């Protein structure tokens, strides 16, 4: 069954959809051949040891034990550098395909993992509780083509996150082969839909079928992916992209960043996995001729506190550094540098609202209008080439 | 004499006027208040009126588990043992706690499977998801076990007593950071959650109320050595607090009583029970009425459940088959329905976890969101795979062990031992009388809350027939 028709039967969409968006609908809306890849750094990556203000003596006095020594930092300019474990990503920086965005946060930050990730995923303010993820609202306003394998896929996690709560055709999978094998269990029913709970099960079955019929089992990538959970997830994502039926969003989760103790070794390993995984992912997408139509964007519930704690780790903090990568990204430094001399209650103040990153994706990447979806005006970044 | 006549008249009229609730209502009641029902149970309840059936259910509730606690829990992990330990020793102790945590989960699964009082377990699970604590943070399986015992004891008791008891429950004190709630640096975590999640709900209090209530709870802590509740008076702020417009030198119990006096509290609990037992869309007027029953009974949970389970809303056709089975209901219900007695519950814990419901480990203080979110493409496929494995077991027993092993390698860890079980479809079908055709209709009526979505395909035996029914999307709802 066609998705729209299906939703209509469920009474989930009005019969005259999106009249307020007709102007937009006539334009080449939702250019979903542009793929958005969201990389969740789960647990709250320590941005200050990722994108390092290495010329700032405050940095070293706040972190006598865990600061990255100046001579290990991969320098981006005279004041800012990267964690040495990100070495593999340096060619992306040198090639001008990597934007480093500092000071990303929101007003009245919440330091609970659950609540803060909810704020990031629903793009709400700190006080508001929204029922839908921000991408679900985007897809509601600008539905991806029905021929797509899915609106989005989730790899490395069970959480739909920004694709939760709406009618999004989001498929959770960990391995394409396994998914295709199991998907035979999803029935091919065309029966009527007696109630909402059953309708939900049927929708999930239909999403599975739609995805399964469009995913290639084994695209023969020349790229070799390193051995890590994240790389496996990225490889799965690349397989889905290779299917060529279309997919608007990939959400990948990199777990393990809640580094309250002994941070140094853990973060170094995680960042190395991230850098090497992303480089392999770029190589695979280049084989598919999709690198120029891919935007990778990292996010996390929060950054970590500038001052190290007594256990050689860091506690929950606020503003954070994030990355945008892709063939059409204008590389460079964006946002605001951490002001370590002016902490608020021991935490960094933010300079750029996280919703500006979403506005960038919605407006500049997909050509939609962001303010209604984000519930306010958030200026987008000039970070993409035409 | 007049009384006798009247009594006889009443007896006759109740028998005559109440030909019983009938099969469909009985099935609905048993499935919503338990994990599954057999044909004979449904038939038995079908003869009762709604009132009689609910009385029977409520009179039979137990306050204690019957499954013996694993030895390791009894002597288990104590907080104090973490003190003065090296990093290595701490790691070893925490590892031990993880293993005990698995035993603890297996114990509860076993109890849910075997209990003669399934409503007790469903209510215990409900309160576990209301007064959330998690082994992940509490770390002590002993304290998690003690909380579970507490929740079961009050599961159908008095909500006010339960609220007071859970507020000084050691696992809760750790989970919501009341351990470190002292006069000079109040920790607001418990005060906030007790208002937002346990009683009033968002919007029912101000930030200032949270701050003031936190002061009232200062001093409620634990003895680190024994893990017992302690009220440290010297850490208590005995100044005047203003909570929800009332002022006084409140302690924690006084604040809880203020929260209990608010009508919102009864409404919040009633609404949540509606979502659990009736439908995803509460009827505001009916919730108000039921909440009124709850309040006027002095927060007697049994009185509320009696009103709820005999209400027209509970039996309304449009509210039947509207709830997605939770992973625990799905797993326990399936095992129970088909009389499968695993030697070991452990594999099923891992299935539950992969389906998104790790008991003693809810994702956060809000608990499992439940409802439709139980089912996504991943969990639905795992559910179907689980059913496939159970339904193929009968055939697989005939295959050679080598073959079995080769197939097993591909299956998830949690399901590896499922092959040890045996489901006899012929025996199961024999619970229905009559001809084959009628048997099939009866089986369908017993297993599915709604009409199957898929057309029945030709089949050769009972197993193939049952397999089709359980793999139908309708099997996922109750």
């Amino acid at each position: 069954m066609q998705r729209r028709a299906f939703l209509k039967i469920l009474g989930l969409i009005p019969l005259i959809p999106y009249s307020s968006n007709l102007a937009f609908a006539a334009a080449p809306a939702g250019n979903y051949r542009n793929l958005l890849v969201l990389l969740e750094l789960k647990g709250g990556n320590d941005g200050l040891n990722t994108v390092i203000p290495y010329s700032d003596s405050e940095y070293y006095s706040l972190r006598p034990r865990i600061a990255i020594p100046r001579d290990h930092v991969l320098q981006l300019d005279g004041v800012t550098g990267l964690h040495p474990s990100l070495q593999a990503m340096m060619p992306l920086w040198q090639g001008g395909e990597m934007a480093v965005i500092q000071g990303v946060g929101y007003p009245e930050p919440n330091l609970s993992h659950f609540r803060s990730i909810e704020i990031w995923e629903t793009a709400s303010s700190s006080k508001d509780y929204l029922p839908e993820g921000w991408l679900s609202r985007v897809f509601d306003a600008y539905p991806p083509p029905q021929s797509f394998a899915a609106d989005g896929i989730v790899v490395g996690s069970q959480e739909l996150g920004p694709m939760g709560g709406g009618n999004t055709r989001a498929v959770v999978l960990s391995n394409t082969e396994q998914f295709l094998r199991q998907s035979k269990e999803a029935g091919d029913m065309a029966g009527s839909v007696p109630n909402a709970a059953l309708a939900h099960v049927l929708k999930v079955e239909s999403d599975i079928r739609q995805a399964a019929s469009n995913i290639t089992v084994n695209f023969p990538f020349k790229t070799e992916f390193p051995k890590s959970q994240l790389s496996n997830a990225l490889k799965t994502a690349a397989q889905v992209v290779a299917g060529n039926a279309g997919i608007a969003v990939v959400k990948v989760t990199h777990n393990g960043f809640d580094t309250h103790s002994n941070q140094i070794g853990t973060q170094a390993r995680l960042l190395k996995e991230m850098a090497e995984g992303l480089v392999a992912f770029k190589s695979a997408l280049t084989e598919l001729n999709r690198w120029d139509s891919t935007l990778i964007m990292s996010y996390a519930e929060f950054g970590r506190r500038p001052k190290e704690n007594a256990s050689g780790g860091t506690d929950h903090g606020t503003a954070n550094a994030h990355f945008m990568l892709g063939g059409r990204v204008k590389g460079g430094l964006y946002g605001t540098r951490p002001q370590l001399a002016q902490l608020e209650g021991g935490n960094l103040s933010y300079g750029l609202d996280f919703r500006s990153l979403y506005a960038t994706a919605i407006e500049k990447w997909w050509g939609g209008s962001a303010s209604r979806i984000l519930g306010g005006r958030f200026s987008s970044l000039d970070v993409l080439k035409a | 004499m007049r009384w006798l006549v009247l009594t006889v008249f009443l007896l006759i009229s109740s028998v005559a006027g109440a030909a019983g609730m009938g099969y469909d209502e009985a099935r609905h009641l048993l499935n919503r208040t338990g994990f599954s029902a057999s044909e004979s149970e449904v038939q038995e309840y079908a003869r009762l009126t709604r009132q009689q059936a609910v009385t029977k259910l409520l009179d039979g509730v137990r306050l204690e588990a019957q499954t013996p606690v694993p030895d390791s829990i009894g002597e288990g992990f104590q907080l104090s043992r973490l003190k003065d330990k090296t990093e290595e020793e701490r790691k070893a102790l925490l590892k031990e706690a993880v293993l005990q945590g698995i035993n603890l989960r297996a114990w509860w699964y076993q109890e849910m499977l075997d209990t003669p009082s399934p409503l007790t377990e469903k209510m215990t699970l409900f309160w576990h998801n209301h007064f959330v604590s998690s082994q992940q943070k509490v770390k002590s399986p002993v304290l998690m076990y003690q909380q579970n015992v507490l929740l079961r004891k009050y599961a159908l008791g008095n909500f006010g007593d339960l609220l007071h008891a859970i507020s000084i429950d050691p696992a809760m004190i750790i989970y919501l950071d009341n351990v470190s709630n002292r006069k000079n640096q109040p920790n607001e975590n418990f005060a906030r959650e007790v208002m937002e999640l346990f009683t009033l709900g968002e919007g029912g209090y101000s930030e200032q109320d949270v701050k003031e209530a936190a002061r009232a709870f200062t001093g409620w802590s634990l003895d680190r050595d024994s893990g017992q509740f302690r009220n440290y008076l010297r850490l208590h702020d005995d100044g005047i607090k203003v909570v929800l417009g009332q002022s006084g030198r409140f302690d924690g119990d006084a604040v809880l009583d203020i929260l209990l006096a608010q009508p919102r509290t009864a409404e919040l609990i009633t609404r949540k029970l509606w979502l659990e037992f009736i439908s995803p869309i509460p009827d505001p007027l009916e919730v108000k009425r039921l909440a009124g029953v709850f309040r006027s009974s002095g927060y007697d949970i049994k009185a509320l459940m009696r009103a709820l389970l005999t209400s027209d809303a509970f039996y309304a056709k449009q509210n039947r088959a509207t709830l997605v089975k939770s992973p625990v209901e799905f797993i326990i219900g399936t095992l129970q329905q088909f009389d499968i007695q695993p030697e070991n519950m452990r594999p099923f814990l891992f299935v539950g976890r992969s389906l998104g419901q790790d008991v003693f480990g809810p994702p956060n203080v809000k608990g499992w969101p439940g409802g439709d979110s139980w089912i996504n493409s991943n969990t639905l496929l795992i559910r179907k795979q689980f059913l496939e494995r159970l339904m193929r077991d009968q055939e697989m027993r005939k295959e050679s062990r080598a073959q079995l092993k080769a197939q097993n390698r591909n299956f998830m860890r949690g399901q590896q031992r499922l092959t040890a079980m045996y489901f006899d479809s012929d025996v199961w079908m024999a619970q229905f009388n009559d001809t084959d055709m009628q048997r099939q209709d009866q089986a369908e009526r017993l297993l599915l809350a709604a009409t199957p979505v898929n057309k029945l395909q030709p089949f050769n035996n009972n197993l193939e027939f049952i397999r089709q029914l359980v793999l139908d999307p309708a099997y996922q709802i109750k």
Side-chain angles (χ1 to χ4, degrees):
Chain A
M1 193 188 306
Q2 296 294 302
R3 173 183 181 225
R4 285 284 141 208
F6 182 79
L7 294 177
K8 256 176 212 160
I9 289 174
L10 305 191
L12 292 177
I13 52 167
L15 289 175
I16 306 166
Y18 319 125
S19 49
S20 59
N21 279 317
L22 281 181
F24 185 86
N31 182 10
Y32 292 119
R33 289 308 291 178
N34 282 344
L35 173 71
L36 177 67
V37 178
L38 289 174
L39 174 63
E40 179 186 19
L41 306 178
K42 196 169 184 82
N45 177 37
D46 178 18
L48 212 51
N49 267 16
T50 305
V51 179
I52 303 159
Y54 71 89
S55 68
D56 191 337
S57 61
E58 279 298 321
Y59 168 70
Y60 292 95
S61 56
L62 285 164
R63 302 187 156 194
R65 286 200 289 167
I66 66 160
I68 306 298
R70 193 183 165 115
D71 57 344
H72 293 186
V73 171
L74 307 170
Q75 299 187 2
L76 301 181
D77 67 7
V79 294
T80 304
L82 295 183
H83 190 289
S85 293
L86 296 177
Q87 181 67 54
M89 278 163 79
M90 283 309 277
L92 284 163
W93 172 261
Q94 283 139 8
E97 295 182 322
M98 170 163 139
V100 174
I101 305 158
Q102 293 174 278
V104 184
Y106 58 90
E108 296 173 66
N110 190 303
L111 301 196
S112 142
H113 287 291
F114 312 113
R115 178 56 190 145
S116 191
I117 199 66
E118 194 172 89
I119 289 166
W120 274 80
E121 286 170 349
T122 59
S124 75
S125 74
S126 179
K127 290 223 166 79
D128 290 330
Y129 291 78
L130 301 180
E132 291 184 330
W134 70 277
L135 285 171
S136 286
R137 298 203 299 278
V138 172
F139 295 151
D140 242 17
Y142 310 116
Q146 286 176 20
S147 58
F148 271 27
D151 298 344
I153 60 163
V154 173
V155 209
S157 158
Q158 295 276 335
E159 316 288 332
L160 302 187
M163 292 184 272
N167 303 319
T168 302
R169 295 180 304 159
V171 174
V172 180
L173 53 86
S174 51
N175 170 302
T176 44
E177 243 175 290
Q178 185 191 14
F179 176 75
L180 290 180
R181 198 176 53 239
Q182 294 182 343
S183 68
K184 297 192 182 82
E185 301 290 356
D188 186 12
M189 71 289 304
S192 62
V193 188
N195 68 54
L198 197 48
H200 174 73
V201 182
L202 295 186
K203 176 188 175 295
V204 172
E205 299 223 11
S206 130
D207 290 350
I208 292 169
R209 273 201 326 279
Q210 168 83 0
S213 62
N214 284 291
I215 289 176
T216 317
V217 192
N218 249 328
F219 184 89
F221 284 113
K222 291 189 197 83
T223 301
E224 278 198 35
F225 280 83
K227 298 243 172 301
S228 74
Q229 251 184 10
L230 177 69
S231 281
N232 286 342
L234 289 166
K235 189 177 177 185
T236 296
Q239 281 295 343
V240 176
V241 175
N244 222 17
I247 186 98
V249 169
V250 170
K251 179 197 155 205
V252 182
T253 298
H254 190 16
N255 289 297
F257 285 100
D258 195 17
T259 49
H260 286 279
S261 61
N262 304 321
Q263 176 177 299
I264 293 183
T266 307
Q267 197 197 20
R269 173 179 59 83
L270 291 171
L271 291 180
K272 183 165 189 280
E273 286 173 5
M274 177 180 91
E276 292 178 352
L278 287 174
V279 166
F281 190 52
K282 175 197 163 165
S283 157
L285 290 175
T286 307
E287 286 186 53
L288 298 172
N289 201 21
R290 285 300 304 269
W291 179 238
D292 283 348
S293 57
T294 298
L295 172 63
I296 303 172
M297 186 159 94
S298 69
Y299 76 108
E301 56 266 56
F302 37 58
R304 306 191 79 83
R305 197 154 304 163
K307 190 170 166 50
E308 67 184 25
N309 66 19
S311 321
T314 48
D315 295 314
H316 300 182
T318 51
N320 206 357
H322 284 293
F323 298 101
M324 282 196 186
L325 311 165
R328 297 218 317 267
V329 167
K330 284 192 228 170
L333 287 163
Y334 295 80
T336 54
R337 295 185 49 219
Q339 304 294 309
L340 294 173
Q342 292 146 40
L343 300 181
E344 289 176 15
N347 276 314
L348 287 167
S349 48
Y350 78 102
L352 182 72
D353 195 290
F354 72 108
R355 286 162 288 191
S356 279
L357 307 188
Y358 300 167
T360 307
I362 298 167
E363 288 170 354
K364 299 271 171 67
W365 193 238
W366 286 331
S369 140
S371 61
R372 211 165 52 94
I373 285 157
L374 299 178
R377 286 233 131 265
F378 296 93
S379 52
S380 51
L381 299 171
D382 184 18
V383 68
L384 296 168
K385 296 173 203 157
Chain B
M1 187 64 188
R2 245 177 74 201
W3 286 113
L4 186 62
V5 171
L6 187 60
T7 313
V8 169
F9 171 76
L10 281 175
L11 270 176
I12 292 169
S13 66
S14 70
V15 171
M21 64 199 326
Y23 189 94
D24 288 349
E25 289 196 2
R27 182 202 176 275
H28 177 68
L29 176 69
L30 289 172
N31 275 283
R32 289 280 176 95
T33 57
F35 298 95
S36 72
S38 68
E39 179 71 5
S40 62
E41 284 171 306
V42 178
Q43 297 286 5
E44 184 190 344
Y45 272 80
R47 289 191 286 271
L48 307 177
T49 63
R50 291 175 183 177
Q51 288 288 348
Q52 289 167 333
V54 171
T55 298
K56 185 173 158 80
L57 276 177
L58 292 176
D59 283 355
V61 296
R62 297 166 56 108
L63 307 181
E64 284 167 18
Q66 60 164 26
T67 307
V69 190
D71 296 339
S72 60
I73 302 294
E75 62 197 53
F77 172 87
Q78 295 289 348
L79 288 171
S80 57
R81 290 170 58 191
L82 272 189
K83 275 197 314 191
D84 313 318
K85 293 285 196 257
T86 65
E87 190 69 24
E88 292 297 297
E89 289 168 324
R90 288 168 72 100
K91 270 191 184 147
L93 280 173
L94 288 173
K95 197 173 167 192
E96 187 191 325
V98 168
L99 285 175
Q100 289 177 14
I102 291 173
N103 291 340
L104 181 63
R105 289 163 166 91
W107 165 78
W108 197 6
Y109 266 53
Q110 193 71 54
E111 178 64 16
M112 290 191 278
L113 185 63
D114 297 341
T115 179
S117 178
L119 181 57
T120 300
E121 298 312 307
K122 290 198 96 164
M123 292 299 293
T124 307
L125 196 55
F126 173 84
W127 294 119
H128 175 45
N129 199 35
H130 183 74
F131 296 116
V132 168
S133 297
S134 164
Q135 161 73 12
Q136 213 193 351
K137 175 157 178 182
V138 175
K139 302 255 182 342
S140 160
V142 189
L143 299 186
M144 291 303 292
Y145 165 71
Q146 287 167 0
Q147 186 179 79
N148 185 268
V149 169
L150 175 80
L151 294 175
R152 184 172 292 98
K153 180 178 160 198
Y154 289 102
L156 285 145
N158 183 281
F159 176 75
D161 294 347
L162 174 56
L163 180 67
H164 279 277
I166 201 80
S167 301
I168 57 169
D169 171 69
M172 181 60 76
I173 283 185
I174 295 172
Y175 186 68
L176 289 182
D177 302 309
N178 232 12
V179 176
S180 53
N181 191 11
R182 338 206 132 113
K183 183 156 70 179
N184 296 325
Q185 42 196 150
N187 187 306
E188 294 169 11
N189 203 8
F190 178 74
R192 178 181 304 280
E193 303 310 0
V194 80
M195 293 192 196
E196 176 181 335
L197 299 172
F198 300 172
T199 56
L200 305 176
E202 263 191 275
Y205 56 90
S206 69
E207 283 299 304
Q208 189 60 28
D209 290 326
V210 172
K211 288 199 162 62
E212 297 280 295
R215 290 175 55 214
F217 291 113
T218 49
W220 281 15
S221 186
L222 292 186
D223 180 297
R224 298 292 292 193
D225 290 325
S226 66
Q228 300 287 308
F229 170 74
R230 287 288 284 278
N231 187 0
Y232 294 106
L233 290 176
R234 66 193 160 76
L235 300 177
H236 178 68
D237 176 346
D238 65 353
I240 292 187
K241 299 109 189 164
V242 183
V243 179
L244 297 168
Q246 299 183 49
S247 67
R249 291 186 193 280
F250 300 137
D251 62 6
D253 283 317
V255 167
L256 295 178
D257 286 332
I258 291 173
L259 301 179
L260 285 166
Q262 300 282 320
R264 289 184 71 114
T265 298
E267 280 169 33
L268 182 97
I269 303 300
T270 307
R271 203 185 129 81
K272 258 183 125 162
L273 282 165
W274 185 293
L275 296 176
E276 185 70 30
F277 286 94
I278 301 186
S279 82
I281 305 164
D283 170 349
L285 283 178
E286 190 61 3
V287 167
K288 263 212 149 60
R289 180 185 75 81
L290 293 167
V293 172
F294 195 26
R295 282 194 81 203
S296 59
S297 74
Y299 282 115
D300 179 358
I301 301 166
K302 242 186 205 178
L304 172 58
M305 289 306 290
R306 182 184 303 277
L308 191 144
L309 294 174
T310 52
S311 69
D312 288 340
F314 178 76
Y315 296 95
K317 282 240 164 61
Q318 74 268 19
N319 288 336
R320 293 199 214 158
T322 54
L323 299 172
V324 169
K325 289 177 186 167
S326 71
V328 165
E329 288 170 332
F330 169 77
I331 294 166
I332 300 292
T334 302
L335 295 178
Q336 218 175 55
Q337 178 61 263
F338 297 113
D339 296 323
I340 298 167
Q341 294 289 340
E343 340 168 345
N344 186 337
M345 294 305 280
R346 277 184 173 211
F348 301 94
L349 311 178
F350 294 109
V351 177
R353 180 183 288 177
S354 63
L355 290 177
Q357 192 174 29
D358 187 16
V359 296
F360 295 109
N364 60 55
V365 65
K366 267 171 128 170
W368 296 288
D372 288 359
S373 75
W374 285 129
I375 294 205
N376 63 41
S377 55
N378 189 43
T379 57
L380 183 60
L381 291 177
I382 296 173
R383 283 178 183 226
K384 296 211 172 202
Q385 198 189 17
F386 172 83
L387 295 167
E388 277 281 14
R389 299 279 288 133
L390 290 185
M391 293 299 134
R392 274 172 47 198
D393 186 47
Q394 200 175 27
E395 304 157 46
M396 287 177 75
R397 282 166 62 87
K398 293 168 195 155
E399 295 174 21
S400 75
R401 271 199 104 63
Q403 254 178 316
L404 211 74
K405 271 197 179 141
Q407 282 179 327
N408 255 346
R409 222 172 286 137
N410 292 325
F411 287 106
M412 42 182 295
R413 176 179 158 212
Q415 301 201 358
Q416 278 182 359
R417 295 188 54 179
L418 301 189
T419 47
M421 289 162 327
Y422 181 52
F423 161 51
D424 193 324
S425 56
D426 297 333
V427 169
W428 189 82
M429 282 301 279
Q431 70 181 311
F432 308 106
N433 319 319
D434 310 324
T435 63
D436 281 350
M437 261 316 266
Q438 281 166 330
R439 271 186 199 173
Q440 283 155 19
D441 287 346
Q442 287 169 331
E444 180 185 313
R445 195 168 62 153
L446 181 67
L447 286 179
L448 303 183
T451 324
V453 175
N454 294 326
K455 256 213 183 83
L456 213 54
Q457 300 299 311
F459 53 88
N460 296 315
N461 55 46
N462 285 330
L463 191 70
E464 284 179 24
F465 164 67
I466 296 166
R467 183 181 165 278
Q468 289 190 44
L469 289 184
V470 295
L471 285 169
D472 192 277
Y475 186 71
Q476 302 298 336
I477 60 175
K478 59 172 182 177

